[in-house]
Amino acid sequence: MSKIILTGDRPTGKLHVGHYVGSLKRRVELQNSGSFDDIYIMIADAQALTDNADNPKKVRDNIMEVALDYLSCGIDPEKSTLLIQSEVPELTELSFYYMNLVTVSRVQRNPTVKSEIQMRNFEASIPVGFFTYPISQAADITAFKATTVPVGEDQLPMLEQTKEIVRKFNSVYGDTLVEPEILLPDNKACLRLPGIDGKAKMSKSLGNCIYLSEETNEIKKKVMSMYTDPDHIKIEDPGKLEGNTVFTYLDAFSTKEHFEEFLPDYSCLDELKEHYTKGGLGDVKVKKFLNNVIQSELEPIRNRRAEYQKDITYVYDILKSGTEKAREVAANTLSEVKNSMKINYFDNREWLEEQIKKYS
Ligand code: ATP
Ligand code: MG
């Protein structure tokens, strides 16, 4: 069986370091491993509209931002297919059929949807489109017959939902769809990177992000203002690691080489942590180190972005040709789906023959 990746992002803002450690970095590694037959990376504009219906301009403007972020992180259009979701209407049609296989109470139990509804103050007025986005995600994944979906932890319930739809579809209509596997980051700190304010998740919609394209000064300002241990007031005080965002970021980003280069007094993160918890290590010193680490990760990304920004038409052409290729694949799956459901009346003479027989 082919090994196929489908993953993507909502164009609700530029991509941030949470996307990078949660999914983007892994995608580039998987892309370059050469062990996948096809890789589809989708800019989920239709999904972004489910909670931004009144602001299509925001979505429209961020499509190019996300595409630039992809390319500057090392997504290679020769190896990965980039596509814009709304330009593949077959996805919407698939969602429509899948909706019949899911109950309202099942979607209501989805913990990510639950917390996102709360975060957006949607409790009393949830748009139906937003409520059903896990089903549309199942359409995106299955349309490309994805076997592997590299995403952050918040996507676990979506993958569960997709698997249930696949099983239900195959049992009702016959083997047609492929069951995907989620691929979560190995590093625990990358599963759900917190915001710089210490909130549970760095998220474009919460404005607590360090963006991949952020300028040097801005990164520094954000790192220096990051949430640490509020009880660690004097340098001599013992500090807490739990819930300390600076250390979570170091868990996510720092390597032995970073210590050699920027903080040679310590050989590794465990040593730094030990000193912090014992007391005698100030937040400023740790933050300065984290700043160096993040700057060294983001500088090459920012530089590559500047190059791509000089040729926006090139990026446009990548999106257009990728979307065209993706549309063919999705159309093929849709046709298989309709064939399995026996709602392909004009594909062949089967239905006509049945009707003739019935009325003869
Ligand atoms: P929005 O606030 O509009 O939902 P977002 O910041 O949550 O935006 P998405 O486009 O919803 O970003 O998510 C894209 C991908 O990035 C998903 O695979 C998701 O799991 C991953 N991701 C997003 N935020 C984080 C994070 N803070 N840590 C790890 N992975 C993340
Ligand atoms: Mg999200």
Side-chain angles (χ1 to χ4, degrees), residues 332-353:
N332 201 33
T333 305
L334 176 63
S335 154
E336 289 171 16
V337 159
K338 292 178 75 173
N339 181 44
S340 298
M341 293 173 75
K342 301 255 177 286
I343 53 170
N344 56 338
Y345 315 109
F346 301 136
D347 278 4
N348 51 43
R349 292 179 63 86
E350 208 180 311
W351 180 69
L352 174 62
E353 306 281 341

mmCIF file of all heavy atoms in Angstrom, residues 332-353:
data_model
loop_
_atom_site.group_PDB
_atom_site.id
_atom_site.type_symbol
_atom_site.label_atom_id
_atom_site.label_comp_id
_atom_site.label_asym_id
_atom_site.label_seq_id
_atom_site.Cartn_x
_atom_site.Cartn_y
_atom_site.Cartn_z
ATOM 1 N N ASN A 332 -11.099 11.597 -7.963
ATOM 2 C CA ASN A 332 -11.033 10.156 -8.138
ATOM 3 C C ASN A 332 -11.622 9.427 -6.918
ATOM 4 O O ASN A 332 -12.421 8.497 -7.047
ATOM 5 C CB ASN A 332 -9.554 9.786 -8.342
ATOM 6 C CG ASN A 332 -9.432 8.459 -9.024
ATOM 7 O OD1 ASN A 332 -10.269 8.094 -9.838
ATOM 8 N ND2 ASN A 332 -8.414 7.712 -8.630
ATOM 9 N N THR A 333 -11.235 9.896 -5.709
ATOM 10 C CA THR A 333 -11.773 9.288 -4.481
ATOM 11 C C THR A 333 -13.285 9.505 -4.393
ATOM 12 O O THR A 333 -14.036 8.592 -4.054
ATOM 13 C CB THR A 333 -11.082 9.874 -3.229
ATOM 14 O OG1 THR A 333 -9.684 9.712 -3.378
ATOM 15 C CG2 THR A 333 -11.558 9.199 -1.958
ATOM 16 N N LEU A 334 -13.721 10.721 -4.720
ATOM 17 C CA LEU A 334 -15.161 11.015 -4.666
ATOM 18 C C LEU A 334 -15.926 10.068 -5.590
ATOM 19 O O LEU A 334 -16.986 9.545 -5.235
ATOM 20 C CB LEU A 334 -15.417 12.476 -5.051
ATOM 21 C CG LEU A 334 -16.892 12.880 -5.125
ATOM 22 C CD1 LEU A 334 -17.573 12.759 -3.764
ATOM 23 C CD2 LEU A 334 -17.048 14.300 -5.666
ATOM 24 N N SER A 335 -15.348 9.825 -6.744
ATOM 25 C CA SER A 335 -16.023 8.943 -7.681
ATOM 26 C C SER A 335 -16.098 7.513 -7.129
ATOM 27 O O SER A 335 -17.129 6.837 -7.249
ATOM 28 C CB SER A 335 -15.278 9.063 -9.019
ATOM 29 O OG SER A 335 -15.404 7.951 -9.764
ATOM 30 N N GLU A 336 -15.033 7.076 -6.453
ATOM 31 C CA GLU A 336 -15.065 5.751 -5.809
ATOM 32 C C GLU A 336 -16.120 5.702 -4.700
ATOM 33 O O GLU A 336 -16.835 4.707 -4.535
ATOM 34 C CB GLU A 336 -13.690 5.402 -5.225
ATOM 35 C CG GLU A 336 -12.652 5.091 -6.288
ATOM 36 C CD GLU A 336 -11.236 4.965 -5.697
ATOM 37 O OE1 GLU A 336 -11.089 4.815 -4.468
ATOM 38 O OE2 GLU A 336 -10.297 5.044 -6.489
ATOM 39 N N VAL A 337 -16.178 6.800 -3.937
ATOM 40 C CA VAL A 337 -17.151 6.884 -2.837
ATOM 41 C C VAL A 337 -18.573 6.793 -3.381
ATOM 42 O O VAL A 337 -19.410 6.033 -2.887
ATOM 43 C CB VAL A 337 -16.926 8.201 -2.042
ATOM 44 C CG1 VAL A 337 -18.164 8.594 -1.249
ATOM 45 C CG2 VAL A 337 -15.735 8.052 -1.109
ATOM 46 N N LYS A 338 -18.842 7.545 -4.437
ATOM 47 C CA LYS A 338 -20.196 7.550 -5.001
ATOM 48 C C LYS A 338 -20.530 6.195 -5.627
ATOM 49 O O LYS A 338 -21.666 5.735 -5.561
ATOM 50 C CB LYS A 338 -20.332 8.686 -6.015
ATOM 51 C CG LYS A 338 -20.282 10.057 -5.331
ATOM 52 C CD LYS A 338 -20.369 11.199 -6.295
ATOM 53 C CE LYS A 338 -21.777 11.372 -6.803
ATOM 54 N NZ LYS A 338 -21.901 12.599 -7.627
ATOM 55 N N ASN A 339 -19.511 5.584 -6.173
ATOM 56 C CA ASN A 339 -19.697 4.249 -6.750
ATOM 57 C C ASN A 339 -20.063 3.251 -5.646
ATOM 58 O O ASN A 339 -21.010 2.467 -5.773
ATOM 59 C CB ASN A 339 -18.415 3.845 -7.476
ATOM 60 C CG ASN A 339 -18.525 2.490 -8.133
ATOM 61 O OD1 ASN A 339 -19.542 2.202 -8.772
ATOM 62 N ND2 ASN A 339 -17.531 1.654 -7.942
ATOM 63 N N SER A 340 -19.339 3.327 -4.519
ATOM 64 C CA SER A 340 -19.639 2.423 -3.396
ATOM 65 C C SER A 340 -21.040 2.671 -2.850
ATOM 66 O O SER A 340 -21.720 1.745 -2.415
ATOM 67 C CB SER A 340 -18.627 2.622 -2.261
ATOM 68 O OG SER A 340 -17.342 2.308 -2.701
ATOM 69 N N MET A 341 -21.447 3.945 -2.853
ATOM 70 C CA MET A 341 -22.776 4.288 -2.317
ATOM 71 C C MET A 341 -23.876 4.058 -3.357
ATOM 72 O O MET A 341 -25.060 4.254 -3.070
ATOM 73 C CB MET A 341 -22.800 5.759 -1.871
ATOM 74 C CG MET A 341 -21.911 6.059 -0.687
ATOM 75 S SD MET A 341 -21.830 7.836 -0.352
ATOM 76 C CE MET A 341 -23.435 8.111 0.390
ATOM 77 N N LYS A 342 -23.471 3.714 -4.535
ATOM 78 C CA LYS A 342 -24.402 3.496 -5.664
ATOM 79 C C LYS A 342 -25.208 4.755 -5.961
ATOM 80 O O LYS A 342 -26.426 4.709 -6.193
ATOM 81 C CB LYS A 342 -25.347 2.320 -5.375
ATOM 82 C CG LYS A 342 -24.639 1.004 -5.124
ATOM 83 C CD LYS A 342 -24.762 0.081 -6.327
ATOM 84 C CE LYS A 342 -24.015 -1.218 -6.178
ATOM 85 N NZ LYS A 342 -22.564 -1.080 -6.306
ATOM 86 N N ILE A 343 -24.528 5.893 -5.923
ATOM 87 C CA ILE A 343 -25.210 7.134 -6.315
ATOM 88 C C ILE A 343 -24.508 7.742 -7.548
ATOM 89 O O ILE A 343 -24.436 8.946 -7.701
ATOM 90 C CB ILE A 343 -25.283 8.154 -5.152
ATOM 91 C CG1 ILE A 343 -23.899 8.416 -4.554
ATOM 92 C CG2 ILE A 343 -26.243 7.683 -4.070
ATOM 93 C CD1 ILE A 343 -23.871 9.592 -3.570
ATOM 94 N N ASN A 344 -24.003 6.826 -8.371
ATOM 95 C CA ASN A 344 -23.317 7.269 -9.606
ATOM 96 C C ASN A 344 -24.188 6.918 -10.815
ATOM 97 O O ASN A 344 -23.826 6.095 -11.632
ATOM 98 C CB ASN A 344 -21.941 6.595 -9.701
ATOM 99 C CG ASN A 344 -22.048 5.080 -9.649
ATOM 100 O OD1 ASN A 344 -23.036 4.528 -9.160
ATOM 101 N ND2 ASN A 344 -21.045 4.396 -10.161
ATOM 102 N N TYR A 345 -25.343 7.567 -10.899
ATOM 103 C CA TYR A 345 -26.377 7.160 -11.858
ATOM 104 C C TYR A 345 -25.941 7.221 -13.323
ATOM 105 O O TYR A 345 -26.409 6.444 -14.138
ATOM 106 C CB TYR A 345 -27.630 8.018 -11.653
ATOM 107 C CG TYR A 345 -27.965 8.147 -10.185
ATOM 108 C CD1 TYR A 345 -27.783 9.357 -9.514
ATOM 109 C CD2 TYR A 345 -28.408 7.042 -9.457
ATOM 110 C CE1 TYR A 345 -28.059 9.467 -8.166
ATOM 111 C CE2 TYR A 345 -28.680 7.147 -8.094
ATOM 112 C CZ TYR A 345 -28.496 8.364 -7.458
ATOM 113 O OH TYR A 345 -28.745 8.464 -6.135
ATOM 114 N N PHE A 346 -25.060 8.179 -13.631
ATOM 115 C CA PHE A 346 -24.722 8.383 -15.045
ATOM 116 C C PHE A 346 -23.340 7.847 -15.430
ATOM 117 O O PHE A 346 -22.904 8.010 -16.555
ATOM 118 C CB PHE A 346 -24.797 9.884 -15.390
ATOM 119 C CG PHE A 346 -26.150 10.487 -15.135
ATOM 120 C CD1 PHE A 346 -26.280 11.728 -14.516
ATOM 121 C CD2 PHE A 346 -27.319 9.809 -15.506
ATOM 122 C CE1 PHE A 346 -27.529 12.283 -14.274
ATOM 123 C CE2 PHE A 346 -28.572 10.356 -15.276
ATOM 124 C CZ PHE A 346 -28.680 11.591 -14.659
ATOM 125 N N ASP A 347 -22.632 7.244 -14.451
ATOM 126 C CA ASP A 347 -21.280 6.750 -14.753
ATOM 127 C C ASP A 347 -21.324 5.576 -15.744
ATOM 128 O O ASP A 347 -20.417 5.389 -16.541
ATOM 129 C CB ASP A 347 -20.581 6.245 -13.479
ATOM 130 C CG ASP A 347 -19.963 7.377 -12.680
ATOM 131 O OD1 ASP A 347 -20.154 8.538 -13.099
ATOM 132 O OD2 ASP A 347 -19.315 7.100 -11.649
ATOM 133 N N ASN A 348 -22.353 4.757 -15.601
ATOM 134 C CA ASN A 348 -22.498 3.616 -16.502
ATOM 135 C C ASN A 348 -24.002 3.364 -16.691
ATOM 136 O O ASN A 348 -24.827 4.161 -16.248
ATOM 137 C CB ASN A 348 -21.787 2.377 -15.926
ATOM 138 C CG ASN A 348 -22.214 2.128 -14.491
ATOM 139 O OD1 ASN A 348 -23.403 2.215 -14.162
ATOM 140 N ND2 ASN A 348 -21.252 1.823 -13.622
ATOM 141 N N ARG A 349 -24.366 2.242 -17.297
ATOM 142 C CA ARG A 349 -25.793 2.026 -17.618
ATOM 143 C C ARG A 349 -26.529 1.222 -16.539
ATOM 144 O O ARG A 349 -27.694 0.874 -16.695
ATOM 145 C CB ARG A 349 -25.904 1.345 -18.985
ATOM 146 C CG ARG A 349 -25.474 2.270 -20.130
ATOM 147 C CD ARG A 349 -25.566 1.560 -21.458
ATOM 148 N NE ARG A 349 -26.931 1.172 -21.806
ATOM 149 C CZ ARG A 349 -27.813 1.951 -22.420
ATOM 150 N NH1 ARG A 349 -27.463 3.183 -22.753
ATOM 151 N NH2 ARG A 349 -29.026 1.509 -22.699
ATOM 152 N N GLU A 350 -25.822 0.947 -15.423
ATOM 153 C CA GLU A 350 -26.393 0.069 -14.405
ATOM 154 C C GLU A 350 -27.749 0.554 -13.880
ATOM 155 O O GLU A 350 -28.725 -0.193 -13.831
ATOM 156 C CB GLU A 350 -25.388 -0.059 -13.266
ATOM 157 C CG GLU A 350 -25.490 -1.364 -12.507
ATOM 158 C CD GLU A 350 -24.452 -1.426 -11.392
ATOM 159 O OE1 GLU A 350 -23.258 -1.147 -11.649
ATOM 160 O OE2 GLU A 350 -24.859 -1.732 -10.252
ATOM 161 N N TRP A 351 -27.776 1.802 -13.508
ATOM 162 C CA TRP A 351 -29.015 2.350 -12.920
ATOM 163 C C TRP A 351 -30.137 2.361 -13.959
ATOM 164 O O TRP A 351 -31.268 1.977 -13.689
ATOM 165 C CB TRP A 351 -28.743 3.770 -12.395
ATOM 166 C CG TRP A 351 -29.948 4.406 -11.780
ATOM 167 C CD1 TRP A 351 -30.560 4.051 -10.620
ATOM 168 C CD2 TRP A 351 -30.715 5.481 -12.336
ATOM 169 N NE1 TRP A 351 -31.658 4.849 -10.387
ATOM 170 C CE2 TRP A 351 -31.772 5.747 -11.430
ATOM 171 C CE3 TRP A 351 -30.606 6.263 -13.480
ATOM 172 C CZ2 TRP A 351 -32.721 6.750 -11.652
ATOM 173 C CZ3 TRP A 351 -31.543 7.270 -13.709
ATOM 174 C CH2 TRP A 351 -32.603 7.495 -12.793
ATOM 175 N N LEU A 352 -29.771 2.785 -15.168
ATOM 176 C CA LEU A 352 -30.758 2.820 -16.240
ATOM 177 C C LEU A 352 -31.339 1.422 -16.486
ATOM 178 O O LEU A 352 -32.564 1.252 -16.567
ATOM 179 C CB LEU A 352 -30.099 3.370 -17.521
ATOM 180 C CG LEU A 352 -30.967 3.337 -18.776
ATOM 181 C CD1 LEU A 352 -32.228 4.204 -18.622
ATOM 182 C CD2 LEU A 352 -30.186 3.784 -20.001
ATOM 183 N N GLU A 353 -30.437 0.431 -16.539
ATOM 184 C CA GLU A 353 -30.897 -0.953 -16.780
ATOM 185 C C GLU A 353 -31.874 -1.379 -15.681
ATOM 186 O O GLU A 353 -32.913 -1.995 -15.961
ATOM 187 C CB GLU A 353 -29.714 -1.948 -16.778
ATOM 188 C CG GLU A 353 -28.565 -1.616 -17.722
ATOM 189 C CD GLU A 353 -28.834 -1.980 -19.168
ATOM 190 O OE1 GLU A 353 -29.734 -2.794 -19.379
ATOM 191 O OE2 GLU A 353 -28.176 -1.418 -20.066
#
